Amino acid sequence: MNVEEAKKSLRGSIAPIITPFHDDESLDLDTLKSLIDWHIQSGSHGISVTGTTGEPSSLTLKERERVMETAIKAVDKRVPIVPGTGSTNHQESLHLTKLAQEMGADAAMVIVPYYNKPSQHALYKHFKLIADSVDIPLIIYNIPGRTAVNLEVKTLARLNEDCPNIIGVKESNKDFEHINRVLLNCGRDFLLYSGIELLCYPMLAIGGAGYISATANVLPSKVAEVYNAWDSGNVEEALKLHYELMPLNDVLFKDTNPAPLKAALGMMGKINPKLRLPMDLPAESLQKEIRSVLADYGLVEKIGSEVK
């Protein structure tokens, strides 16, 4: 997919899928394939793997490669696929991004390096070298709450100007003023995605291309419908769905993502809810709250006052 095709196609709800594990913590690739089929059947507009929700920092390099390869083959060009290829290690980011291109991904999502706290100058060099090494469209992933550094709008605008294949940014950034200035400085055709659930609808209102929302793991059809309603001009329906999703969004982020997600998907019978340490399932009290909210959405059965 070239840049122009990507700018037309990479819109809507791009679902960032969890990485399923067996009890022995090995990859459960069959379940990953099943989840991808479910998402596509449910109306997700695109698929992403090995982003934050996919626990990439808990995977070995070879495991990340296997998840990417499995997902790209499972999607089979039915919708766009955008694997996360970034790392705190520059050479690893280069390797994974090149590999995503070789495997046939439609674009790659490259996170701002975490833990290192690089300067804006260093961030520019990091992303510029990755962009220059591939032809595949790139989406930068800015999530300062996890990386401890914010990619400033000025740096992003410079990258956009100097790297034609950097086509957008996923902003997991609660600073909505910053987000508005992204489109002001990068242009209205720059693809802006929300990575904050409560900003998915507001992001569309200012000209965003869509969102990469973890909540899509649990309710993919409803999350996709927000974009469909907005895109068809049904603003009232999009706004109604935005508020309808808020209780689910809230409970899924009462602990660190993807722990509540995996607990929820386990309750729904979609996965074995296994995480790798240092991540773990939420406390039992939160799991009960998650069950209650899922029951309110009809995602698990409620019998009387008990949720099963």
Side-chain angles (χ1 to χ4, degrees):
M1 185 178 290
N2 63 36
V3 166
E4 292 309 312
E5 290 171 334
K7 286 188 173 183
K8 292 177 182 177
S9 301
L10 292 174
R11 294 177 177 273
S13 174
I14 300 174
I17 298 181
I18 59 98
T19 300
F21 299 125
H22 294 290
D23 279 334
D24 64 0
E25 298 191 2
S26 61
L27 295 174
D28 183 354
L29 297 178
D30 287 337
T31 295
L32 177 64
K33 294 174 192 175
S34 296
L35 289 173
I36 288 170
D37 286 341
W38 176 53
H39 275 276
I40 294 173
Q41 292 161 10
S42 298
S44 292
H45 304 101
I47 299 293
S48 181
V49 292
T50 59
T52 300
T53 304
E55 297 174 79
S57 60
S58 296
L59 303 177
T60 67
L61 182 60
K62 290 298 181 186
E63 286 175 329
R64 289 187 69 171
E65 293 171 1
R66 288 184 67 200
V67 171
M68 284 168 48
E69 181 180 29
T70 299
I72 290 167
K73 288 180 178 178
V75 169
D76 194 25
K77 301 188 184 300
R78 290 178 288 171
V79 295
I81 178 160
V82 186
T85 59
S87 164
T88 192
N89 181 297
H90 176 72
Q91 290 300 323
E92 189 173 288
S93 300
L94 275 171
H95 167 74
L96 289 170
T97 306
K98 289 177 181 178
L99 193 61
Q101 177 170 292
E102 292 170 12
M103 288 177 174
D106 295 292
M109 184 170 64
V110 189
I111 195 169
V112 170
Y114 38 91
Y115 182 76
N116 293 329
K117 295 184 71 175
S119 68
Q120 296 299 306
H121 173 68
L123 286 173
Y124 173 85
K125 289 179 67 176
H126 171 73
F127 287 115
K128 176 74 162 57
L129 284 168
I130 293 172
D132 288 347
S133 74
V134 294
D135 298 317
I136 192 172
L138 300 181
I139 297 166
I140 293 176
Y141 181 13
N142 188 32
I143 180 168
R146 291 222 187 196
T147 62
V149 63
N150 184 42
L151 182 67
E152 294 176 3
V153 172
K154 182 170 64 175
T155 307
L156 183 59
R158 186 181 171 203
L159 285 164
N160 177 49
E161 183 176 346
D162 295 347
C163 307
N165 58 330
I166 293 180
I167 62 168
V169 63
K170 175 185 176 183
E171 283 285 355
S172 292
N173 194 330
K174 293 185 178 180
D175 183 349
F176 205 58
E177 290 187 15
H178 167 102
I179 291 167
N180 276 265
R181 295 186 188 282
V182 167
L183 290 183
L184 177 67
N185 287 272
C186 294
R188 297 281 296 279
D189 65 338
F190 194 65
L191 302 183
L192 175 64
Y193 305 92
S194 178
I196 299 288
E197 276 57 32
L198 295 191
L199 296 184
C200 289
Y201 172 81
M203 201 82 90
L204 295 175
I206 65 167
Y211 36 82
I212 305 173
S213 167
T215 302
N217 280 272
V218 173
L219 207 53
S221 58
K222 193 81 68 178
V223 173
E225 284 171 16
V226 176
Y227 179 82
N228 293 339
W230 174 265
D231 192 49
S232 66
N234 192 343
V235 176
E236 285 302 318
E237 177 66 12
L239 189 58
K240 178 179 79 70
L241 290 166
H242 166 72
Y243 284 109
E244 189 177 318
L245 283 165
M246 280 183 66
L248 182 59
N249 288 331
D250 285 345
V251 79
L252 290 177
F253 285 86
K254 288 193 173 183
D255 195 355
T256 304
N257 182 44
L261 274 183
K262 283 198 160 181
L265 287 168
M267 295 169 196
M268 293 165 60
K270 293 290 185 183
I271 67 166
N272 174 22
K274 183 71 177 177
L275 293 98
R276 288 178 175 174
L277 293 171
M279 299 293 290
D280 200 4
L281 288 171
E284 185 60 35
S285 58
L286 179 53
Q287 291 196 46
K288 288 180 180 178
E289 188 176 349
I290 292 168
R291 278 186 176 275
S292 178
V293 173
L294 293 179
D296 290 341
Y297 285 87
L299 297 172
V300 297
E301 188 177 353
K302 180 181 285 187
I303 302 175
S305 61
E306 296 295 321
V307 179
K308 186 171 74 175

